[in-house]
Amino acid sequence: MRLTSLYDALSKRRTHGQKSLAVLLDPDNLDEAGCRRVLELSEQHTVEYFFVGGSLVMNSRQAALIRFIKSRSAVPVLLFPSHSLHLDNQADGILLLSLISGRNPDFLIGQHVIAAPLLRQSNLQILPTGYMLVDTGRQTTASYISGTTPLPHDKPGIAACTAMAGEQLGLRLMYLDGGSGALYPVSPAMIRAVRQAVDVPLLVGGGINTTEKAHAALAAGADVIVIGNQIEKSPDFLADVAQVVRSFNNSRILADSTD
Ligand code: 1GP
């Protein structure tokens, strides 16, 4: 399997220390007005990716949402599927998630076997992703639906070894996720431990609902922060968090030019 241009771009950004913002749009939660507002804001503030998905997605709503985004925005759309049926060729790519924090074979490999021939026929760029759910204070839809136990919040060492194993198995991205609407985000200590353990780009999401939490995740080593709920609730948060990412990237450019 050839690595894709979306992956190459992300990997290059990581090499240059450039951070990215991904906005998660859940077809089951978003109304048209909210989506319109998010798309308008993404014209003025840099959003690197739209992730589309959720744990209980209805396919017709997902297709309509992707069509809506693609008709109005040039930002790449990546599927963030919770099931092999959640494929859609209108998107640019797919986070092909293997739930490596869990021990449910269906989400480690089973769903992927079902999806493989469909993916082969599609034009979707494939981003093989080690997906790690982290305990963040309450059971999330993702851990309930997947029937898996999330990584303990205060055990960065387990997360680091899990990511290391995922990288050794050939996964090209790691995603630490507290789950949508997490009570608190993945800890900076865990992000740092995973960052030190692997070289691949690191995505972090779940419960990032303030600019301080966004900054903390980036400072600890996240390459991409993923935000869903808070932008759904209050679309203008997109502008605030994009500003945090921009200042991070500008300070890095400044540091490089004075080296
Ligand atoms: C969930 O990481 C994403 O899978 C986003 O979480 O909705 O809490 O921002 P939030």
Side-chain angles (χ1 to χ4, degrees):
M1 194 185 67
R2 192 175 64 79
L3 283 182
T4 67
S5 57
L6 279 170
Y7 182 79
D8 288 343
L10 182 51
S11 187
K12 196 177 285 173
R13 288 180 69 74
R14 157 144 180 71
T15 311
H16 294 290
Q18 294 292 296
K19 312 284 189 177
S20 308
L21 170 63
V23 175
L24 172 63
L25 301 174
D26 183 335
D28 291 330
N29 293 346
L30 209 65
D31 59 24
E32 190 175 318
C35 187
R36 220 176 262 281
R37 180 74 187 130
V38 168
L39 294 182
E40 274 165 23
L41 286 163
S42 71
E43 293 291 308
Q44 301 145 29
H45 307 277
T46 308
V47 170
E48 241 73 40
Y49 309 98
F50 286 123
F51 290 177
V52 172
S55 294
L56 294 169
V57 169
M58 309 268 283
N59 270 15
S60 56
R61 298 183 76 155
Q62 172 166 286
L65 175 60
I66 299 175
R67 199 171 314 117
F68 193 75
I69 301 170
K70 294 308 282 180
S71 66
R72 286 169 175 76
S73 170
V75 174
V77 173
L78 294 183
L79 299 174
F80 176 49
S82 50
H83 196 278
S84 61
L85 298 176
H86 294 160
L87 301 181
D88 192 312
N89 230 343
Q90 302 174 93
D92 299 283
I94 179 167
L95 294 171
L96 190 60
L97 307 170
S98 182
L99 182 50
I100 57 176
S101 59
R103 298 295 177 266
N104 180 345
D106 201 29
F107 289 96
L108 281 163
I109 184 65
Q111 294 284 321
H112 313 69
V113 174
I114 295 165
L118 300 170
L119 277 178
R120 169 66 66 84
Q121 280 165 18
S122 79
N123 297 320
L124 293 167
Q125 298 189 37
I126 298 175
L127 295 106
T129 303
Y131 188 49
M132 289 174 278
L133 286 174
V134 182
D135 188 348
T136 44
R138 67 168 172 218
Q139 188 170 47
T140 59
T141 312
S143 71
Y144 177 77
I145 296 278
S146 64
T148 64
T149 308
L151 293 164
H153 190 263
D154 60 347
K155 302 281 181 198
I158 302 181
C161 292
T162 305
M164 221 185 279
E167 187 180 55
Q168 289 165 355
L169 282 164
L171 297 169
R172 306 305 299 244
L173 299 176
M174 292 298 147
Y175 188 162
L176 277 173
D177 196 349
S180 203
L183 285 182
Y184 39 84
V186 177
S187 73
M190 184 175 282
I191 299 171
R192 257 193 308 276
V194 170
R195 177 68 292 153
Q196 283 161 14
V198 296
D199 284 330
V200 297
L202 174 60
L203 289 67
V204 177
I208 301 179
N209 54 11
T210 65
T211 51
E212 290 74 22
K213 290 175 190 171
H215 186 275
L218 294 170
D223 297 299
V224 181
I225 47 172
V226 186
I227 303 186
N229 261 276
Q230 190 57 27
I231 290 177
E232 259 165 30
K233 258 191 255 162
S234 154
D236 291 345
F237 183 62
L238 187 154
D240 302 338
V241 80
Q243 173 58 38
V244 172
V245 176
R246 190 163 50 243
S247 1
F248 228 98
N249 289 343
N250 288 344
S251 64
R252 180 60 202 249
I253 291 169
L254 211 63
D256 282 354
S257 65
T258 52
D259 276 350

